[in-house]
Amino acid sequence: MSIIKKMIVLVSCALFAAPAFAAGAGGLFVEPLVSYEKGKSNIDYPSPFSNSSGDIDGFGVGARLGVHFAEVIFVGLDGRYMKPKFKDSTNNMNSNSSGYDYGAVIGFHPPVIGLRVWGTYIIGGQLDPEEDNNVDVKFTDAKGYRVGVGFRFVIVSLNVEYQDLKYDNTTLQALGPFSS
């Protein structure tokens, strides 16, 4: 069983953007962020369910931690925690969910121009919708990528990202009177 989740993270506001905590021409950076995500999902359920489509929509928080070199290249770790609304067409789920993902990030930001671009390879994560209509499902082992572009204003960065995730494992925790 798998779920493919394609999301467009519409707005990600990085408070205290990378250069704000930078020391000299290179060094460590800390970049906390607040995000809003809106996306589509495709779920491959086993029999007797049919394949499904759905929506994911909600807010999250996260951070990037890493190092930058010569005020131009940055590398680090990217971690996110989110609380989106999860909707699924096959079993009419419409529930709150919680999830997280993490990965390695590399990016480029010229020191004078506020434009930044980056890519993240997502190496793990999960999405756990709450039970709805007697169905409780959990998606784990997220893999995928995220690419983004942003513009930095002093210590705040406004970003737009595209994300493509696949959850390799799906656990059906409860179905009607049955539970795992």
Side-chain angles (χ1 to χ4, degrees), residues 38-60:
K38 184 169 182 66
K40 301 283 184 193
S41 65
N42 299 311
I43 304 169
D44 300 327
Y45 284 119
S47 281
F49 294 110
S50 61
N51 290 345
S52 176
S53 62
D55 295 308
I56 299 160
D57 189 3
F59 288 94

Side-chain angles (χ1 to χ4, degrees), residues 44-171:
D44 300 327
Y45 284 119
S47 281
F49 294 110
S50 61
N51 290 345
S52 176
S53 62
D55 295 308
I56 299 160
D57 189 3
F59 288 94
V61 295
R64 289 191 191 108
L65 307 169
V67 296
H68 62 94
F69 306 98
E71 293 289 333
V72 178
I73 304 292
F74 60 94
V75 296
L77 301 174
D78 182 338
R80 312 273 174 112
Y81 175 78
M82 63 286 250
K83 294 286 289 182
K85 182 68 109 171
F86 178 80
K87 296 178 184 177
D88 179 63
S89 65
T90 295
N91 46 39
N92 296 319
M93 284 183 76
N94 186 3
S95 65
N96 294 321
S97 64
S98 63
Y100 65 87
D101 61 56
Y102 53 91
V105 63
I106 185 167
F108 172 77
H109 59 99
V112 178
I113 304 170
L115 182 68
R116 305 178 333 140
V117 294
W118 62 90
T120 302
Y121 175 65
I122 299 167
I123 56 178
Q126 76 173 30
L127 181 66
D128 190 5
E130 294 175 355
E131 182 177 344
D132 190 33
N133 290 333
N134 294 320
V135 176
D136 191 5
V137 65
K138 183 177 185 178
F139 308 103
T140 57
D141 296 331
K143 304 277 187 290
Y145 66 90
R146 178 172 28 244
V147 293
V149 63
F151 196 78
R152 184 184 68 229
F153 304 98
V154 187
I155 64 169
V156 176
S157 177
L158 186 60
N159 307 321
V160 176
E161 298 178 314
Y162 174 81
Q163 173 175 284
D164 190 347
L165 285 180
K166 179 178 181 183
Y167 291 93
D168 289 336
N169 292 314
T170 303
T171 304

Side-chain angles (χ1 to χ4, degrees), residues 17-30:
F21 289 122
L28 299 176
F29 73 86
V30 176

Side-chain angles (χ1 to χ4, degrees), residues 2-22:
S2 67
I3 176 176
I4 298 174
K5 180 172 74 169
K6 290 186 179 181
M7 281 191 239
I8 299 174
V9 179
L10 295 177
V11 177
S12 163
C13 184
L15 307 173
F16 311 111
F21 289 122

